[in-house]
């Protein structure tokens, strides 16, 4: 299963292509919109040449955030989700189970630069990480023991191993992640970009639709007609527009 990069100039183009892709691949697909087509698939923490320790970032976040939270997160990954939600650098990369949600993020910026809508086959990615599912299209949750080696604590305690990125589902415990149908990939120790995994390991796990800059405005209008708006994806007071 391999798909080439393809241009899309409207929502109809995307649906037509995805219909054809789904006919070839029966597993789940995840989507990620990026404002610039040339941006690679790498988490914020991995984009820096000399990234800070994630355990340091986590400890400082806990120090300042604990008294603001109605309930203290029970699992280390729950803290990472909170950090990601509030713009702190982590090893997580956001994806959506909805192609239209991802397309919104691809075209939201009002410029004429080409954007990208990435498509991920999470089960194929996890095969490369050595995950052995009980059934063909199973995707682990972050509470699964197969993700234990990806915790911040394990990385700090054991500094030698290096694993492939994995895809996992998280509890949708906030209005934003629920509205955006959010799911995640998580990197391990090294910055192994999802779009540059060596070809001998790759199994058609990721591909891309390119959105030409001049098509963005029309796509934004189409998404608005379809009910995909800032307030729908960010159901918060700050998203209410009075224009």
């Amino acid at each position: 299963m391999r798909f080439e990069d393809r241009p899309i100039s409207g929502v109809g183009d995307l649906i037509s292509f995805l219909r054809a892709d789904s006919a070839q691949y029966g597993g789940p697909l995840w989507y990620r919109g990026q404002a610039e087509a040339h941006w690679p698939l790498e988490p914020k923490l991995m984009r820096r040449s000399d990234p800070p320790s994630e355990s340091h970032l986590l400890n400082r976040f806990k120090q300042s955030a604990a008294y603001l939270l109605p309930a203290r997160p029970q699992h280390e990954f729950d803290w990472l989700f909170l950090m990601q939600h509030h713009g702190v650098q982590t090893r997580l990369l956001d994806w959506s189970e909805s192609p239209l949600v991802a397309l919104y993020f691809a075209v939201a910026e009002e410029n004429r630069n080409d954007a990208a809508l990435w498509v991920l086959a999470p089960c194929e990615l996890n095969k490369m990480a050595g995950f052995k599912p009980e059934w063909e299209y199973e995707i682990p949750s972050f509470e699964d023991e197969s993700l234990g080696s990806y915790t911040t604590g394990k990385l700090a305690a054991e500094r030698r191993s290096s694993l492939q990125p994995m895809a996992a589902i998280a509890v949708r415990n906030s209005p934003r992640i629920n509205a955006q149908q959010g799911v995640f990939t998580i990197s391990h120790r090294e910055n192994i970009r999802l779009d540059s995994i060596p070809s001998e390991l790759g199994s058609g796990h990721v591909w891309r639709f390119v959105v030409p800059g001049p098509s963005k405005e029309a796509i934004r209008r189409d998404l608005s007609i379809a009910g995909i708006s800032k307030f729908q994806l960010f159901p918060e007071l700050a998203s209410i527009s009075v224009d």
Side-chain angles (χ1 to χ4, degrees):
M1 178 197 71
R2 290 191 182 276
F3 301 97
E4 301 295 330
D5 289 354
R6 287 157 289 179
I8 54 172
S9 57
V11 173
D13 290 345
L14 174 62
I15 298 301
S16 295
F17 281 131
L18 290 178
R19 185 183 299 119
D21 291 353
S22 297
Q24 295 186 57
Y25 178 68
L29 297 175
W30 293 358
Y31 309 90
R32 175 177 173 81
Q34 297 195 158
E36 300 285 345
H38 65 274
W39 286 350
L41 290 173
E42 55 185 351
K44 284 184 179 180
L45 188 62
M46 304 294 198
R47 295 172 196 170
R48 298 176 56 168
S49 57
D50 185 23
S53 162
E54 187 180 69
S55 59
H56 169 73
L57 295 176
L58 176 60
N59 289 335
R60 291 302 301 270
F61 185 81
K62 286 181 178 180
Q63 178 188 41
S64 300
Y67 86 99
L68 296 173
L69 299 173
R72 186 180 179 87
Q74 297 300 306
H75 194 281
E76 192 173 279
F77 283 130
D78 292 328
W79 282 106
L80 289 186
F81 302 148
L82 271 174
M83 291 166 64
Q84 182 82 352
H85 178 84
H86 291 286
V88 182
Q89 298 170 355
T90 73
R91 291 171 290 120
L92 296 169
L93 199 61
D94 299 281
W95 296 80
S96 174
E97 292 183 300
S98 166
L100 296 187
V101 168
L103 186 59
Y104 172 88
F105 287 106
V107 304
E109 292 189 11
E110 296 185 6
N111 59 44
R112 295 178 67 85
N113 299 337
D114 291 353
L117 174 68
W118 288 94
V119 186
L120 175 72
C123 298
E124 302 304 312
L125 177 68
N126 287 348
K127 286 179 184 177
M128 293 184 285
F131 177 66
K132 294 179 172 55
E134 293 186 6
W135 64 284
E136 185 178 7
Y137 295 131
E138 178 187 3
I139 301 172
S141 76
F142 278 92
E143 298 173 354
D144 193 287
E145 63 181 21
S146 61
L147 273 292
S149 296
Y150 291 77
T151 64
T152 305
K154 282 291 181 66
L155 285 178
E158 199 282 292
R159 299 175 181 273
R160 292 170 295 180
S161 64
S162 180
L163 304 175
Q164 295 281 332
M166 279 194 68
I169 58 175
V171 175
R172 291 175 177 164
N173 55 6
S174 75
R176 183 185 296 187
I177 190 174
N178 189 61
Q180 296 174 11
Q181 299 181 48
V183 283
F184 299 95
T185 54
I186 185 167
S187 295
H188 193 247
R189 189 179 310 283
E190 297 181 34
N191 184 18
I192 301 175
R193 290 168 30 188
L194 301 187
D195 55 311
S196 63
I197 292 177
S199 58
E200 64 268 18
L201 297 177
S203 56
H205 65 290
V206 69
W207 58 98
R208 178 179 64 170
F209 296 105
V210 177
V211 183
S215 300
K216 286 182 174 180
E217 184 177 355
I219 291 176
R220 285 195 294 269
R221 289 198 301 266
D222 288 348
L223 289 173
S224 179
I225 292 171
I228 305 296
S229 65
K230 181 179 180 181
F231 181 66
Q232 183 188 37
L233 302 184
F234 297 89
E236 302 150 8
L237 290 174
S239 300
I240 297 176
S241 172
V242 293
D243 294 339

